């Protein structure tokens, strides 16, 4: 068993209690003489709090796996990545990667990407409130595309995946039951295919985060802009796609609250 | 701002399922209390709700993760989040627990995820005094420190928790948040279960002016032989109501909160509990006069 906790000159009693709660095979437990029933309560509380936190931050993963499996996963993740923020809702940044390393992640290869979507949705839910600075629209009138940069709302995230993440997300979280059923059927069909590629976008129009799929061109265009390139450079990435319209994209982007402001480069 | 102890001020803990109730229903309690950490996000619906609720109710910010008794320093990022929220909400009370939460793991700071008890020693008292002074100075606010329920005991404790808190307040200018149910839980788990006597012993060691808030809660009945767990999942028990009367007799009508976290009932049930608390205060004050 790895020694998780270190002793220091002050606060030995606190370190010993922490170790006794986190490591039930610790040799310190008997020496400290803590009541086993009491320790078990703290152990169960820790696991229950952690499981509750993950179930809130990763609702899709928890629905896909079911609670009995999730308890074991919670325990493993807790040991690997203990909380350090003092706020359970900020715990779980590495959960998607962790999922990709465990048996359930191998068995359901889309699970890790579902966790990544869940995490971005969770972060967007508590993210800073941003909306378009209308006055910055003037930059589009006054400047050439080569000198224009678009700064996105901080709650906008893009994720490239080989799985139908949007459909899986909608199948579990869309408000409308019929929409959920249709999304589930679509997700199952797409999962049966050998290979797909999706660019998924997480964004927050008002308070409720949304998940949608971008076309390849929309994805390439936005990724280029998000890397800090000019509007002209971004437009060059989609010039071969005649169906892409910047004007149409801009209207949708404003409607979806994707843009924080425009600025001159 | 602390309220004079002649006013009858009763509030309830506000949790997520009641966000709509608080905004849509007429004002029925004097204040609401929220867990600070639930609003550490920089934006979003929850913070917007709290900002709107603030226009209708005084807010008490009750923190659960600060770990004022920790030997490890409270991380700056935590304090900054709390300060940002404090400046945004301007709470009329700010409270935390007399416990530790931070420890080290392979050189890294970790959070316990729970309110862990401390040994009541002079050394731990010095540590907590330093932490309380640092936090009060950083926030520019007075803290109210809550007694905790515990499921283990430390052999090295040579002070009662009440003596520990009294000394802490005397040295730092902080106040006490007296949780009657926590005294009851500890009484049942470690002191033979004579709750009336436990409350009596506890409150007589606290200076009359030291208590700035009272918490009332209920907890589930354990199976025979098991420890009582402070789960905040039930109505306030008769024993706790009785302990509340004892506390009111000694400390006067300090602001009182009904806490309910698990098996959360309808908003109206919380209001009924708050009204019951108000009736108890009036009855005790009338008797005192």
């Amino acid at each position: 068993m790895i020694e998780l906790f270190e002793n220091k000159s002050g606060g030995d009693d606190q370190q010993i209690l922490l170790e006794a709660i986190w490591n039930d095979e610790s040799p310190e437990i008997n020496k400290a003489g803590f009541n086993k029933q009491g320790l078990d309560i703290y152990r169960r509380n820790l696991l229950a709090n952690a499981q509750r936190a993950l179930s809130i931050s990763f609702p899709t993963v928890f629905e896909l796996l079911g609670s009995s499996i999730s308890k074991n996963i919670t325990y493993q993740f807790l040991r690997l990545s203990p909380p350090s923020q003092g706020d359970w809702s900020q715990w779980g940044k590495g959960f998607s990667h962790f999922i990709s390393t465990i048996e359930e992640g191998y068995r359901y290869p889309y699970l890790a990407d579902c966790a990544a979507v869940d995490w971005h949705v969770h972060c967007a839910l508590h993210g800073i409130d941003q909306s378009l600075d209308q006055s910055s629209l003037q930059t589009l009138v006054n400047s050439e595309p080569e000198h224009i940069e678009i700064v996105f709302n901080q709650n906008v995230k893009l994720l490239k995946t080989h799985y139908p993440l949007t459909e899986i997300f909608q199948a579990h979280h869309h408000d409308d039951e019929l929409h959920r059923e249709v999304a589930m059927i679509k997700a199952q069909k797409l999962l049966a295919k050998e290979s797909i590629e999706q660019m998924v976008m997480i964004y927050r129009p008002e308070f409720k985060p949304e998940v949608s799929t971008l076309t390849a061109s929309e994805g390439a265009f936005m990724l280029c802009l998000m890397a800090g390139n000019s509007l002209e450079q971004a437009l060059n990435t989609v010039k071969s796609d005649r169906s892409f319209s910047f004007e149409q994209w801009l209207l949708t982007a404003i409607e979806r609250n994707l843009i924080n402001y425009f600025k001159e480069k | 701002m602390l309220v004079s102890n002649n006013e009858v001020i009763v509030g309830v803990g506000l949790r997520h399922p009641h966000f709509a109730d608080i905004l849509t229903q007429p004002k029925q309690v004097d204040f609401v209390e929220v867990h600070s950490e639930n609003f550490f996000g920089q934006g979003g619906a929850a913070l917007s709700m709290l900002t709107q609720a603030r226009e209708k109710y005084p807010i008490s910010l009750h923190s659960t993760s600060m770990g004022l008794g920790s030997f490890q320093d409270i991380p700056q990022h935590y304090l900054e989040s709390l300060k940002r929220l404090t400046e945004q909400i301007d709470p009329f009370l700010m409270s935390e627990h007399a416990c530790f939460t931070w420890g080290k793991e392979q050189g890294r700071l970790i959070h316990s995820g729970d309110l862990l008890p401390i040994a009541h020693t002079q050394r731990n008292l010095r540590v907590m005094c330093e932490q309380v002074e640092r936090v009060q100075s950083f926030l520019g606010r007075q803290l109210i420190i809550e007694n905790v329920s515990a499921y283990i005991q430390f052999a090295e404790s040579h002070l009662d928790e009440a003596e520990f808190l009294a000394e802490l307040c005397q040295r730092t200018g902080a106040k006490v948040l007296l949780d009657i149910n926590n005294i009851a839980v500890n009484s049942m788990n470690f002191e033979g279960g004579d709750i009336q006597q436990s409350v009596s012993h506890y409150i007589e060691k606290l200076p009359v002016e030291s208590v700035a808030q009272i918490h009332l809660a209920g907890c589930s009945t354990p199976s025979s032989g098991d420890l009582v767990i402070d789960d905040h999942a039930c109505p306030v028990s008769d024993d706790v109501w009785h302990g509340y009367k004892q506390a009111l007799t000694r400390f006067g009508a300090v602001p009182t909160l009904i806490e309910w976290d698990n098996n959360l009932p309808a908003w109206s049930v919380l209001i009924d509990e708050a009204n019951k608390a108000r009736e108890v205060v009036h009855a005790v004050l009338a008797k005192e006069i």
Side-chain angles (χ1 to χ4, degrees), chain A residues 5 28 85 166 179 226 228 262:
Chain A
F5 294 90
E28 299 290 343
Q85 301 289 329
T166 304
H179 197 112
M226 286 173 140
F262 300 88

Side-chain angles (χ1 to χ4, degrees), chain A residues 2 4-6 8 10-11 13-15 17-18 37-38 42 45-46 49 83-86 88 125-127 129 207, chain B residues 37 42-44 65 69-72 77 100 103-107 109-114 117 151-152 225-227:
Chain A
I2 302 165
L4 276 175
F5 294 90
E6 60 183 24
K8 58 194 298 255
D13 50 350
Q14 297 185 3
Q15 287 300 130
L17 177 56
L18 267 179
Q37 201 186 116
Y42 288 116
N45 277 352
L46 175 64
N49 286 336
S84 61
Q85 301 289 329
W88 278 112
L125 194 63
H126 305 283
D129 301 331
F207 285 135
Chain B
E37 294 82 1
Q42 291 188 62
S65 295
S70 306
F71 261 74
Q72 304 298 331
H77 66 75
F100 86 95
K104 282 261 180 166
E105 173 260 326
Q106 295 177 342
L109 193 71
I110 69 154
H111 192 265
S112 66
D114 205 345
Y151 310 114
I152 57 152
D226 286 351
L227 293 174

